[in-house]
């Protein structure tokens, strides 16, 4: 039976005096792709950042495989839980140099395999700051995957990309899920939710309003979820 990778128990997060998450309860399963959606400012990216300890709750608990996150070594945890951000963050140097910041001992062959995986075969010697936006995002994904994470967090990674680059990253997320590396993906895009999601988590006003199998959520949404999804589809 499929289990849970992350659990959120009465989680409260405050930023600049405002409660972003309000006694949030829910989970992310240990399989396939979980899409986290919700209105702007609802707290979905904060929920994602909790999973990588980039944010921490002021109250409540976040657990990874049943162990509270604050009991885990943060660096080791981030090696297991990789993250791809909305904006790519190329570092000075070549593309190969960038990938080795994630795994310094990576061989040239491992670098090339990692780049080919994201459609950047032969890019190792190029300067990272000369890449297009889509190429830079794929490089950052290759850098994340080179650490061999067991779970990947995607925070709207395709929101500024063209259709071709978006397709490459979506297809890779699906391939990862197919070989047992699940992920969580934040999006505002209804079409993307339909293409990717196996499990849906809908965050509204700092709480998980509904979650479950995506087909079940779409077939019988809660009233607040129905209003949000209707707005997404128009």
């Amino acid at each position: 039976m499929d289990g849970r990778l992350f659990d959120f128990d009465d989680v409260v997060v405050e930023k600049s005096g405002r409660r972003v998450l309000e006694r949030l309860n829910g989970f992310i399963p240990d399989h396939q792709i979980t899409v986290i959606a919700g209105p702007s400012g609802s707290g979905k990216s904060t929920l994602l950042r909790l999973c990588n300890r980039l944010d921490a709750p002021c109250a409540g608990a976040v657990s990874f495989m049943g162990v509270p996150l604050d009991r885990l070594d943060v660096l080791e945890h981030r090696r297991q839980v990789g993250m791809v951000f909305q904006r790519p963050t190329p570092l000075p140097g070549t593309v190969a140099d960038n990938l080795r910041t994630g795994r310094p001992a990576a061989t040239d062959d491992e670098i090339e395999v990692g780049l080919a995986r994201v459609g950047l075969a032969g890019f190792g010697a190029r300067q990272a700051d000369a890449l297009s936006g889509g190429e830079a995002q794929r490089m950052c994904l290759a850098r994340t995957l080179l650490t061999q994470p067991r779970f990947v967090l995607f925070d709207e990674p395709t929101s500024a990309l063209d259709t071709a680059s978006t397709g490459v990253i979506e297809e890779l997320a699906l391939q990862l899920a197919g070989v047992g590396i699940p992920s969580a993906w934040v999006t505002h895009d209804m079409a993307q939710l339909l293409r990717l999601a196996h499990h849906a988590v809908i965050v509204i006003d700092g709480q998980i309003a509904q979650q479950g199998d995506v087909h079940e959520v779409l077939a019988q949404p809660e009233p607040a979820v129905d209003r949000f999804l209707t707005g997404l589809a128009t």
Side-chain angles (χ1 to χ4, degrees):
M1 183 175 179
D2 294 317
R4 301 181 177 198
L5 200 60
F6 289 93
D7 279 283
F8 308 95
D9 297 305
D10 284 337
V11 170
V12 176
V13 174
E14 294 184 354
K15 294 183 179 182
S16 302
R18 182 177 75 89
R19 286 209 168 184
V20 181
L21 299 179
E22 177 62 70
R23 300 190 68 83
L24 179 143
N25 290 279
F27 68 94
I28 293 176
D30 62 359
H31 60 285
Q32 303 292 354
I33 299 176
T34 298
V35 170
I36 302 170
S40 180
S42 62
K44 55 192 180 296
S45 288
T46 298
L47 175 63
L48 198 75
R49 289 169 62 87
L50 286 172
C51 298
N52 207 31
R53 295 189 66 181
L54 292 172
D55 283 331
C58 339
V62 182
S63 299
F64 177 67
M65 298 178 63
V67 180
L69 282 187
D70 58 8
R71 297 184 188 173
L72 299 175
D73 178 81
V74 65
L75 294 180
E76 176 58 30
H77 179 68
R78 287 177 182 164
R79 280 190 282 269
Q80 293 194 65
V81 181
M83 189 161 185
V84 181
F85 296 90
Q86 184 175 17
R87 296 181 184 277
T89 53
L91 302 171
T94 66
V95 170
D97 292 336
N98 269 255
L99 265 63
R100 285 196 173 94
T101 62
R103 188 172 157 203
T107 66
D108 290 345
D109 285 346
E110 288 171 331
I111 294 291
E112 183 57 29
V113 168
L115 290 173
R117 193 178 192 185
V118 298
L120 295 178
F123 274 57
R126 296 198 187 186
Q127 290 298 308
D129 61 7
L131 299 178
S132 69
E135 290 167 348
Q137 188 64 295
R138 283 185 277 157
M139 179 194 71
C140 291
L141 176 54
R143 185 172 65 197
T144 296
L145 295 179
L146 201 63
T147 65
Q148 300 178 320
R150 76 175 290 161
F151 187 77
V152 182
L153 306 168
F154 292 94
D155 191 5
E156 297 194 81
T158 63
S159 62
L161 301 187
D162 59 30
T163 301
S165 294
T166 294
V168 169
I169 294 176
E170 288 183 356
E171 180 58 31
L172 189 51
L174 290 166
Q175 289 174 7
L176 291 171
V179 297
I181 302 174
S183 60
W185 186 300
V186 169
T187 188
H188 284 94
D189 185 339
M190 183 67 164
Q192 190 166 68
L193 183 149
L194 293 172
R195 288 194 300 269
L196 292 177
H198 300 91
H199 186 89
V201 173
I202 311 299
V203 182
I204 297 176
D205 294 334
Q207 297 181 321
I208 294 178
Q210 189 173 359
Q211 76 168 87
D213 177 272
V214 65
H215 300 295
E216 294 175 2
V217 170
L218 294 176
Q220 293 185 305
E222 297 292 331
V225 173
D226 186 40
R227 290 191 294 272
F228 164 68
L229 293 174
T230 300
L232 266 189
T234 56

